[in-house]
Amino acid sequence: MRRTSPRSTTPSLKTMNHQESQRPEKVNPLEMRDLGFIESGNNDGLDDNHDQDELADSSQSRQAVDESDSSEDEVAPRNTIGDVPLEWYKDEKHIGYDIAGKKIKKKERQDKLDSFLASADDSKNWRKIYDEYNDEEVELTKEETKLIRRLLKGKAPHAEFDPYAPYVDWFKWDDAKHPLSNAPEPKRRFIPSKWESKKVVEYVRAIRKGLIKFDKPKEEPRLYLLWGDDSSSADRTKHLAYIPPPKPKLPGHEESYNPSLEYLPTQEEINTYQLMYEEDRPKFIPKRFTSFRSIPAYENAIKDSFERCLDLYLCPRVRKKRINIDPESLKPKLPSRKDLRPYPVTCYLEYRGHEGAVLSISVEPSGQWIASGSKDGTVRIWEVETGRCLRVWELGEAVQHVAWNPLLELPILAVSVGSDVLILNTGFGNEEQQRKAKELLQIGTPTSSDDSDDISSVLSWLQDEKHDCIRLRHFRTVSSIEWHRKGDYLSTVMPAGESRAILIHQLSKKLTQRLPFKHHGLPVSSVFHPTRSIFFVATKKNVRVYDLLRQKLIKKLETQLREVSSIAVHPAGDNVIVGSKEGKLCWFDMDLSSKPYKTLKCHPKDITNVAFHRSYPLFASCSDDCTAYVFHGMVYADLNQNPLIVPLEILRGHTSSDGRGVIDCKFHPRQPWLFTAGADSSIKLYCH
Amino acid sequence: MSLEQFLLAKGISAEKILEIEYIRAVAPRKEEEPSPHDDWVSAVDGSSPRFILTGCCDGLGRVWKEAGLCTHILEGHSDAISSVSIINSEALGSVTVATASKDRTLRLWKFDAEDSNDHPAMIRAFKILRGHNASVHSVAAKTSGDMVCSGSWDCTINLWRTNDSDTDGDVVSIKKRKVNSKAEQSQSEGEAVSMLVGHTQCVSSVVWPQHETIYSASWDHSVRQWDVETGKDLSNIFCGKVLNCIDVGGEGSALIAAGGSDPILRIWDPRKPGTSAPVFQFSSHSSWISACKWHDRSSFHLLSSSYDGKVMLWDLRTAWPLSVLDTHKDKVLCADWWKGDSVVSGGVDAQLRICSDISIP
């Protein structure tokens, strides 16, 4: 609405010029009308400081403003043919088309004479203009003639237009961030202001003369509230963490000096208070006083307030941040036990016959027989399937360890009795196998005397006539025997044997050699690697791994246990489990590190033995707490994947005797079955 | 529970029509005297109505005419007998039987079932079948009687001819031996006709119910069906448990019953296509199952014996045992039907027990 006249008139002027160029003496009447409207709008704009006028004007100028807003095209001429040469329609009966598409007929043309006469008669003839485009005569008004006249003089067409109007600066210069001009910074900006320095000098003089006085620095209060809170009350309420102290309990009716009768305890009740424990006794016994005067001083006043202070001081009023973590989500994701079947679960068979604790069992490599050695001095062989005892050897001394030869075709059994190791012929196998076994168990010439080293003094190969076997006489008690996988070598461990604690015997040549390494610590057990010529020696603290071919130490596994009791090697050879006397089971991944990969603390008492299954991914540990644990121990061929260990089952059934529980456990070589030997002189078979 | 009590307990009106299904009770009415052995009775065969054949862990086979009456003792094995089988019992004069033993041999015996003395007659084997590399676990005779098969711990099944030495071609040597007392008997040795290889573990039980098919159960958890002519296994049912015994019978003589290292007696129907799931499972035992046998006339009845000392009689139509015989004091190692109305069983208590008068329709 506040349109300034020069802007809004420009388009009209332009068209006017354009049309003038065509027909200089003619003005489009529509545009003239337009101009007229703008005039009135213009008045309005110029006097816009007079609000009343504006309001009055606005009603009459509304339409005009509406029209003046739009361009000239909107006031449609009658003809719609557009800016085309009019001679195209010279020979037609119509001059063009109206907005509805109907032909506009040419008017009847007067002949020249008539028209001349008419024009001569008409006094207003000079005002009339023929509009060829719309084919009509237009009479110019007075204003329009004036306007044309002004145009001819080269002035602004409107008489009201003031070309020298005062300049109005519409732009707000104050907080413009960027300069509107790229003029260089004036010099005055870089030199110190003269006026400012004058002002400073003025102030300095005033201060010197004492005309200007400064405020004194505020004094810190020397006293502080001893019992007041550190934070102001406003501070407290602001923070969510602040918890107001609990209010002390308000006194009730019973604490009144003159309580109602029902609050007063009877004498009997007071007497019963004396029988109560001191903690249960009521702290306050209501009493009745006849007057205020007779109320004594409350003797616990100081104590109570002190306790209240202690409560406030010692009991931290802190909002606890509780982290809501589902404890289940912290557990490692283990596969379900159902998916890990088969594994030994229930005991169906029991092998009874021993009269003392069964110290060791060994399963024949085909899985048809098991041998057991007991504290009662017997070695027995049982049929696995039926539980029938087939053979008994009376050896007269507690049998520490029994071990079947790992070769199927060599049915012999190594047995350690005290300081002797007996190699027994079991009598199984066909005639050919028997013949070979018998041959092997004959000592032809005393070969042991040939090598004159220190071994002969501590060990002798003897022929035992009574049991028809070989007797290897050691100089100390033999605790464990282990066969090499090829069935020719066997190693014996004498924990008290010092430098000759571990001996390796060769059965075919009847030779014995010392382990060519320096011994560290007390040896407990020894195992051969299942595929390579590697030898594991478990001492009380550590496990040492030796390469027998290159004769050097490969690795030392640090168990971090107090006392190692047993060791077993995974059939692939890269993983070792070690059981300890404190009930811990360590799994070592030899490729990973010399530290345990996992330590399982499951048994409350000593672990007596650990075992791996030969083909199923199972391992077991047995303990003096009369249980045996079965675990799933999957070793992956992919080196990036760590072994998966899942506890599966606790096998119970043995009873404790002499503080010992399950002493030995061995897996069946082909079935997922576990044999356990107990101190209760029974052997149990747990099947899947 | 009487019917009235049942109605009250279930809150059923007496007006209502109830459908009552019943299974006839099958229970022995008579308990015969136990027949004592010197050692565990590990095998029994009651397929002949005239006698019972037992194998014992002391290596002797025994023939019993009736409870407590031993007529023959089969002597010769050097180790425990694990299985016995009657080859032909119809022959009037002499009866041929086979025994398998842990001494890796099978022996064939002939005796006259009719003669009876006060003292049991000692008999020696007329043929020794050698060839197994490990203890023989099971023996089964062909129905026609001219062949036996045996399963052994060396994972193989061997087929043997039972013909007499003179007609048999593959006799290696004939040894004449003086038997201390009366008769001079020829003892021949036989070799296996063919060997069925396929099991990966001990073959614990074999049966030869039809002319050309052998069924075997093994510790490698499988039941296999073998074609005798080609020596190939036709089907393989995988069970997941170690199997100790197998028998074929029942409806159409086609159902396979097997038991093993768990207390469940499983029955498969091999005619059912594309499945190896058992059609029936009976789980009333509490320990390993040592033997299972189908009744030879009824297609619904079978018995099973277990290490828990019980022999159970089953009807396929019920989930519970028809009757439980717990006369044994220890593990029952073997059991069989006898004469169609008795159950014979032997066990660790070294007794052969006969429960008779079982009425089976």
Side-chain angles (χ1 to χ4, degrees):
Chain A
M1 195 168 165
R2 298 275 149 76
R3 195 66 52 92
T4 48
S5 49
R7 270 160 109 200
S8 65
T9 47
T10 24
S12 342
L13 279 174
K14 216 192 266 169
T15 49
M16 260 162 69
N17 290 337
H18 158 74
Q19 287 198 339
E20 264 167 4
S21 67
Q22 266 190 2
R23 351 178 251 279
E25 75 276 21
K26 276 189 280 179
V27 175
N28 193 334
L30 291 169
E31 268 143 27
M32 283 302 154
R33 204 177 64 187
D34 201 359
L35 284 173
F37 285 130
I38 289 158
E39 239 167 38
S40 61
N42 190 25
N43 284 339
D44 181 33
L46 284 174
D47 309 337
D48 69 343
N49 36 1
H50 306 293
D51 283 339
Q52 298 95 338
D53 286 7
E54 191 188 331
L55 278 172
D57 281 349
S58 64
S59 57
Q60 55 168 310
S61 67
R62 170 120 328 136
Q63 203 194 350
V65 168
D66 283 350
E67 298 226 349
S68 76
D69 262 355
S70 53
S71 69
E72 60 200 316
D73 302 328
E74 249 168 277
V75 184
R78 205 160 65 101
N79 202 348
T80 57
I81 52 168
D83 193 11
V84 295
L86 289 174
E87 62 232 37
W88 290 358
Y89 290 92
K90 212 162 67 186
D91 301 330
E92 302 287 333
K93 278 190 178 162
H94 61 280
I95 55 159
Y97 305 91
D98 67 0
I99 200 154
K102 282 178 185 161
K103 286 176 181 172
I104 304 171
K105 289 264 175 63
K106 274 180 187 165
K107 275 185 185 160
E108 200 65 34
R109 189 121 335 218
Q110 288 176 312
D111 58 3
K112 286 273 179 185
L113 192 63
D114 286 347
S115 64
F116 176 75
L117 286 174
S119 61
D121 288 347
D122 195 353
S123 59
K124 289 178 183 175
N125 187 38
W126 62 277
R127 286 177 192 256
K128 284 182 181 165
I129 291 168
Y130 176 66
D131 181 1
E132 206 176 3
Y133 187 73
N134 288 327
D135 191 27
E136 55 190 9
E137 284 216 331
V138 179
E139 197 180 311
L140 296 178
T141 56
K142 228 175 201 172
E143 285 82 28
E144 280 164 350
T145 47
K146 271 182 193 169
L147 201 135
I148 291 165
R149 223 171 264 148
R150 288 173 72 85
L151 279 173
L152 289 173
K153 278 183 195 167
K155 289 183 186 171
H158 292 278
E160 292 82 6
F161 176 70
D162 180 10
Y164 309 109
Y167 174 71
V168 180
D169 196 359
W170 298 105
F171 189 76
K172 265 177 81 184
W173 295 93
D174 302 338
D175 38 290
K177 270 191 184 159
H178 300 287
L180 284 173
S181 74
N182 55 355
E185 291 276 286
K187 189 185 174 187
R188 64 175 179 278
R189 305 240 172 111
F190 302 101
I191 52 174
S193 164
K194 205 187 261 175
W195 182 85
E196 272 177 9
S197 58
K198 275 184 185 168
K199 202 79 188 163
V200 169
V201 168
E202 202 177 302
Y203 279 131
V204 167
R205 279 192 189 134
I207 290 166
R208 278 188 189 151
K209 283 178 185 168
L211 297 174
I212 298 174
K213 282 177 185 168
F214 296 103
D215 291 343
K216 280 183 183 172
K218 270 188 186 168
E219 265 185 28
E220 287 283 315
R222 277 184 301 166
L223 304 169
Y224 63 96
L225 279 173
L226 183 64
W227 298 106
D229 247 327
D230 291 340
S231 49
S232 64
S233 63
D235 242 14
R236 285 187 222 155
T237 45
K238 245 187 250 170
H239 302 303
L240 277 173
Y242 174 75
I243 304 162
K247 295 216 162 61
K249 195 187 148 236
L250 292 171
H253 291 295
E254 71 276 7
E255 281 166 70
S256 160
Y257 77 100
N258 189 12
S260 308
L261 280 175
E262 63 260 31
Y263 291 108
L264 291 173
T266 58
Q267 191 56 44
E268 284 168 25
E269 278 173 333
I270 291 171
N271 290 343
T272 54
Y273 292 160
Q274 295 303 314
L275 299 173
M276 289 167 129
Y277 286 112
E278 217 166 66
E279 297 92 63
D280 300 338
R281 251 178 245 164
K283 294 268 160 17
F284 178 80
I285 298 166
K287 255 186 190 174
R288 163 166 277 202
F289 299 100
T290 48
S291 65
F292 267 132
R293 261 184 314 167
S294 52
I295 303 172
Y298 180 49
E299 69 268 27
N300 285 338
I302 289 177
K303 201 182 161 198
D304 280 4
S305 53
F306 176 69
E307 270 172 3
R308 166 81 179 158
C309 285
L310 272 190
D311 284 350
L312 294 180
Y313 170 61
L314 291 177
C315 177
R317 298 192 303 280
V318 181
R319 239 175 261 277
K320 261 191 192 167
K321 266 186 195 164
R322 182 166 291 172
I323 310 166
N324 274 326
I325 297 177
D326 184 18
E328 289 297 312
S329 69
L330 295 175
K331 280 191 194 165
K333 297 275 173 294
L334 287 180
S336 154
R337 290 199 303 167
K338 272 184 198 164
D339 306 336
L340 303 177
R341 279 177 186 161
Y343 54 85
V345 178
T346 34
C347 173
Y348 288 125
L349 273 176
E350 217 170 310
Y351 306 88
R352 290 200 167 275
H354 277 298
E355 278 141 28
V358 185
L359 298 180
S360 174
I361 47 174
S362 178
V363 191
E364 195 237 359
S366 74
Q368 197 178 359
W369 322 100
I370 63 166
S372 63
S374 162
K375 221 173 183 173
D376 61 5
T378 57
V379 171
R380 283 170 189 261
I381 290 183
W382 313 81
E383 193 183 7
V384 169
E385 190 194 351
T386 55
R388 183 179 162 81
C389 178
L390 281 133
R391 269 195 91 159
V392 184
W393 284 276
E394 297 272 354
L395 299 177
E397 204 177 337
V399 179
Q400 288 295 328
H401 204 275
V402 291
W404 278 93
N405 191 298
L407 289 190
L408 255 176
E409 56 271 21
L410 201 57
I412 57 177
L413 189 67
V415 176
S416 82
V417 186
S419 60
D420 290 357
V421 170
L422 269 68
I423 296 167
L424 299 167
N425 183 3
T426 57
F428 293 122
N430 53 27
E431 290 82 2
E432 180 71 12
Q433 290 165 0
Q434 270 303 308
R435 199 176 49 77
K436 276 190 179 165
K438 274 185 184 147
E439 228 168 67
L440 200 61
L441 296 183
Q442 289 295 328
I443 299 178
T445 50
T447 45
S448 54
S449 60
D450 292 351
D451 26 56
S452 53
D453 62 349
D454 54 348
I455 290 300
S456 56
S457 63
V458 297
L459 187 114
S460 47
W461 289 71
L462 303 169
Q463 187 80 42
D464 192 316
E465 298 298 331
K466 187 181 161 200
H467 301 294
D468 193 22
C469 66
I470 290 178
R471 184 181 283 268
L472 292 164
R473 181 148 286 162
H474 291 63
F475 70 108
R476 289 282 190 279
T477 312
V478 178
S479 70
S480 89
I481 314 169
E482 196 73 35
W483 283 96
H484 186 252
R485 64 178 186 281
K486 284 181 181 155
D488 194 16
Y489 292 93
L490 86 158
S491 74
T492 54
V493 176
M494 294 173 279
E498 286 160 8
S499 70
R500 286 160 298 196
I502 299 172
L503 300 175
I504 295 180
H505 314 280
Q506 191 178 8
L507 195 60
S508 56
K509 293 184 181 162
K510 317 283 188 286
L511 272 179
T512 296
Q513 52 190 351
R514 203 164 59 84
L515 202 62
F517 308 108
K518 193 167 175 276
H519 290 296
H520 303 267
L522 211 58
V524 173
S525 184
S526 65
V527 197
F528 284 98
H529 190 282
T531 49
R532 289 189 286 161
S533 60
I534 288 174
F535 191 62
F536 297 81
V537 176
T539 60
K540 280 211 165 169
K541 294 273 174 203
N542 297 316
V543 176
R544 278 160 209 278
V545 188
Y546 299 102
D547 189 330
L548 292 175
L549 277 186
R550 285 185 288 162
Q551 302 229 333
K552 66 173 197 182
L553 179 77
I554 302 174
K555 210 162 203 171
K556 187 178 147 197
L557 305 176
E558 287 155 20
T559 60
Q560 297 160 347
L561 300 171
R562 242 180 288 143
E563 195 177 342
V564 172
S565 65
S566 50
I567 179 173
V569 183
H570 189 269
D574 281 339
N575 294 276
V576 178
I577 48 173
V578 169
S580 82
K581 291 228 164 146
E582 69 223 74
K584 277 185 188 166
L585 180 78
C586 290
W587 176 294
F588 289 95
D589 191 335
M590 302 244 290
D591 297 331
L592 214 61
S593 82
S594 61
K595 298 259 164 42
Y597 161 63
K598 280 255 160 76
T599 303
L600 308 168
K601 172 96 185 78
C602 40
H603 288 287
K605 282 189 183 171
D606 304 7
I607 289 182
T608 48
N609 224 322
V610 288
F612 264 115
H613 199 284
R614 235 168 59 174
S615 47
Y616 288 90
L618 294 172
F619 67 98
S621 64
C622 61
S623 154
D624 276 343
D625 58 5
C626 299
T627 62
Y629 282 62
V630 180
F631 301 89
H632 175 85
M634 189 67 177
V635 174
Y636 298 96
D638 180 10
L639 285 176
N640 288 325
Q641 208 164 359
N642 282 334
L644 174 73
I645 299 172
V646 186
L648 291 176
E649 193 73 35
I650 304 173
L651 306 177
R652 300 170 206 275
H654 283 286
T655 50
S656 182
S657 152
D658 263 351
R660 303 216 64 186
V662 186
I663 298 174
D664 199 0
C665 65
K666 287 273 158 33
F667 276 106
H668 191 279
R670 289 176 178 179
Q671 305 291 346
W673 296 349
L674 185 75
F675 296 95
T676 55
D680 54 356
S681 74
S682 74
I683 303 163
K684 283 178 193 281
L685 169 61
Y686 291 88
C687 302
H688 64 289
Chain B
M1 191 186 262
S2 73
L3 202 57
E4 191 184 349
Q5 281 172 324
F6 176 80
L7 291 180
L8 282 174
K10 293 276 173 186
I12 304 170
S13 146
E15 301 285 313
K16 208 148 187 193
I17 297 169
L18 290 179
E19 274 184 44
I20 297 175
E21 262 183 54
Y22 73 98
I23 308 270
R24 277 181 59 183
V26 173
R29 270 169 281 185
K30 212 166 127 198
E31 175 73 24
E32 309 263 348
E33 277 291 301
S35 317
H37 289 66
D38 295 339
D39 208 337
W40 297 9
V41 182
S42 57
V44 67
D45 192 337
S47 58
S48 163
R50 291 185 288 171
F51 61 92
I52 305 164
L53 177 65
T54 61
C56 182
C57 278
D58 57 5
L60 300 178
R62 286 179 176 83
V63 180
W64 303 83
K65 196 150 182 78
E66 59 191 70
L69 180 62
C70 179
T71 55
H72 297 86
I73 291 178
L74 314 179
E75 192 186 22
H77 278 298
S78 59
D79 208 338
I81 291 178
S82 54
S83 177
V84 294
S85 175
I86 298 170
I87 296 171
N88 61 338
S89 57
E90 276 75 31
L92 270 178
S94 65
V95 176
T96 318
V97 297
T99 57
S101 161
K102 298 237 158 78
D103 64 1
R104 301 179 300 281
T105 63
L106 292 109
R107 282 170 203 242
L108 303 181
W109 319 76
K110 253 185 199 160
F111 58 88
D112 190 1
E114 295 306 320
D115 64 338
S116 56
N117 307 329
D118 293 345
H119 295 287
M122 303 294 257
I123 291 178
R124 297 192 64 84
F126 75 90
K127 195 165 180 182
I128 301 172
L129 308 175
R130 290 182 206 274
H132 279 298
N133 264 327
S135 56
V136 188
H137 229 272
S138 171
V139 63
K142 199 176 179 179
T143 40
S144 61
D146 58 338
M147 281 179 103
V148 289
C149 66
S150 64
S152 154
W153 195 274
D154 61 7
C155 317
T156 61
I157 299 167
N158 280 9
L159 304 184
W160 318 81
R161 264 184 228 292
T162 60
N163 302 7
D164 288 338
S165 50
D166 46 310
T167 56
D168 202 317
D170 50 31
V171 169
V172 180
S173 62
I174 299 171
K175 287 181 194 163
K176 296 260 179 181
R177 232 183 236 177
K178 289 273 179 190
V179 182
N180 49 3
S181 57
K182 330 148 205 173
E184 193 175 286
Q185 259 181 314
S186 69
Q187 212 168 25
S188 63
E189 293 204 0
E191 273 196 343
V193 179
S194 68
M195 191 184 273
L196 308 177
V197 183
H199 280 296
T200 55
Q201 286 192 46
C202 148
V203 181
S204 54
S205 185
V206 286
V207 278
W208 199 338
Q210 285 141 27
H211 189 65
E212 67 289 335
T213 342
I214 292 174
Y215 294 90
S216 67
S218 161
W219 276 36
D220 63 6
H221 309 174
S222 68
V223 172
R224 282 174 204 240
Q225 186 184 353
W226 303 86
D227 187 352
V228 177
E229 293 299 319
T230 58
K232 297 225 172 77
D233 56 336
L234 301 171
S235 74
N236 188 352
I237 298 169
F238 187 77
C239 158
K241 303 277 171 157
V242 163
L243 295 170
N244 281 332
C245 56
I246 185 172
D247 198 17
V248 176
E251 177 199 347
S253 294
L255 297 181
I256 302 173
S261 69
D262 64 341
I264 300 169
L265 177 67
R266 295 180 174 84
I267 292 164
W268 288 275
D269 192 346
R271 298 166 297 183
K272 236 183 179 176
T275 173
S276 66
V279 286
F280 295 105
Q281 293 199 7
F282 299 115
S283 49
S284 288
H285 281 295
S286 61
S287 189
W288 284 20
I289 289 170
S290 53
C292 59
K293 288 276 182 202
W294 289 94
H295 194 267
D296 43 353
R297 287 199 315 276
S298 163
S299 61
F300 294 111
H301 291 86
L302 75 160
L303 66 80
S304 67
S305 70
S306 163
Y307 282 0
D308 59 4
K310 287 172 184 148
V311 178
M312 291 188 183
L313 304 183
W314 300 91
D315 190 310
L316 285 190
R317 296 161 290 193
T318 60
W320 301 100
L322 295 178
S323 68
V324 180
L325 319 175
D326 48 359
T327 47
H328 282 284
K329 289 182 194 73
D330 208 336
K331 294 171 202 160
V332 184
L333 297 176
C334 54
D336 199 0
W337 298 95
W338 188 44
K339 293 197 226 168
D341 67 340
S342 310
V343 170
V344 288
S345 60
V348 171
D349 55 359
Q351 309 277 14
L352 174 74
R353 298 210 177 241
I354 305 170
C355 301
S356 54
D357 251 358
I358 303 170
S359 58
I360 284 178

